Amino acid sequence: MKKLLALTLLFSSLLFAVSKENILALTWLNSFCKVENKKVCRMRRPGDYSLTHFTLHGLWPKNRNYCHIGYKFKLSPLMWKVLEKFMPGAKDGFARYEWKKHGTCFGTDAQTYFLTAVKLTQQFNETQFLDFVRMHMGQWVSLQRIRFVFGGAFGEKNKRKFQLICKRKKGQIYITEIRINLKGDPTKLGLQELIDNAKPMVGVRQCQGGVFALP
């Protein structure tokens, strides 16, 4: 799959200059489904990727939404299959929504936009950060500790380059998402370099800790 993603990104033609300031939003769906009764939660089955990995919420160009509503939304059958794994609920309208709101500001066609986002999601899930989350599912962890682990995975200087999102239900705080600051061309650079180039997250509300829920 990695070779396919790389080759498709290489030969996909860009429509405009690619956004260089972005946020990668990744969801811990186990936690999300503890507080939300969405169709995507009811559709999950044993063995699904989302039970043990972060999934793609979106790749968001900063401070821009709904840029070019007329941009064609077209994905290959193979891209749909990939998105069903990395972005649960893609075929239920979520991929189209993310394209309309964020992808139309990214500067590429829809195929390249989602391939880029999937590439970054895949790279994040290959780090020791995911190993930590898996080992601590069901346990309360602090923002301070998560920053320490993020710094271990991506470099000490990068430990404040994310925003932690939580939701509360029945007295329990669940960590539902991590949003990571990126700088550079995501179609050409890997996740590590994009994080290295970025600035720390400032001026955003930070969850101070919570639980990465079990499936």
Side-chain angles (χ1 to χ4, degrees):
M1 181 180 288
K2 292 182 183 179
K3 290 184 178 179
L4 172 64
L5 294 177
L7 286 173
T8 308
L9 285 170
L10 179 64
F11 291 108
S12 294
S13 54
L14 304 182
L15 300 177
F16 298 98
V18 176
S19 173
K20 304 297 196 305
E21 299 275 355
N22 302 283
I23 292 174
L24 177 66
L26 301 175
T27 299
W28 187 250
L29 204 57
N30 297 327
S31 290
F32 178 84
C33 291
K34 290 290 185 183
V35 296
E36 300 286 351
N37 183 28
K38 300 291 187 180
K39 184 177 180 180
V40 66
C41 300
R42 300 191 295 271
M43 290 172 57
R44 297 205 296 171
R45 297 293 182 267
D48 281 0
Y49 185 81
S50 67
L51 298 173
T52 53
H53 295 78
F54 284 87
T55 56
L56 174 64
H57 181 167
L59 181 60
W60 305 338
K62 284 190 175 181
N63 304 317
R64 288 183 292 160
N65 292 325
Y66 301 105
C67 292
H68 303 280
I69 305 304
Y71 277 12
K72 191 173 183 180
F73 178 74
K74 183 177 180 181
L75 303 176
S76 69
L78 180 56
M79 187 69 248
W80 276 117
K81 186 175 181 179
V82 170
L83 270 185
E84 285 180 342
K85 174 180 177 180
F86 289 91
M87 179 187 268
K91 280 197 171 182
D92 291 320
F94 191 57
R96 187 177 293 275
Y97 169 80
E98 285 295 305
W99 166 250
K100 184 177 180 180
K101 183 175 182 180
H102 302 290
T104 56
C105 302
F106 187 65
T108 71
D109 59 7
Q111 182 89 359
T112 305
Y113 170 69
F114 282 110
L115 277 168
T116 302
V118 166
K119 174 194 74 172
L120 299 177
T121 304
Q122 189 176 45
Q123 289 176 358
F124 184 85
N125 281 327
E126 291 173 348
T127 69
Q128 66 189 57
F129 189 89
L130 178 62
D131 296 336
F132 170 83
V133 171
R134 285 175 172 173
M135 288 188 294
H136 293 82
M137 284 191 291
Q139 303 175 26
W140 194 91
V141 289
S142 68
L143 173 62
Q144 183 178 3
R145 190 172 185 192
I146 292 169
R147 280 175 171 161
F148 176 81
V149 176
F150 193 91
F154 296 102
E156 176 68 17
K157 69 176 184 177
N158 294 326
K159 67 181 183 180
R160 294 180 179 272
K161 296 183 180 180
F162 68 88
Q163 179 185 14
L164 200 65
I165 305 298
C166 298
K167 294 187 177 183
R168 181 189 294 269
K169 187 172 184 180
K170 295 181 179 179
Q172 182 65 276
I173 299 174
Y174 294 100
I175 300 170
T176 57
E177 189 161 289
I178 185 169
R179 299 175 182 175
I180 307 165
N181 239 6
L182 307 178
K183 185 175 182 180
D185 185 342
T187 66
K188 297 178 180 178
L189 302 178
L191 181 62
Q192 179 67 63
E193 190 169 359
L194 292 168
I195 295 175
D196 286 342
N197 294 340
K199 294 180 180 179
M201 281 278 198
V202 294
V204 297
R205 180 178 295 179
Q206 285 281 12
C207 167
Q208 296 302 304
V211 173
F212 288 104
L214 289 157

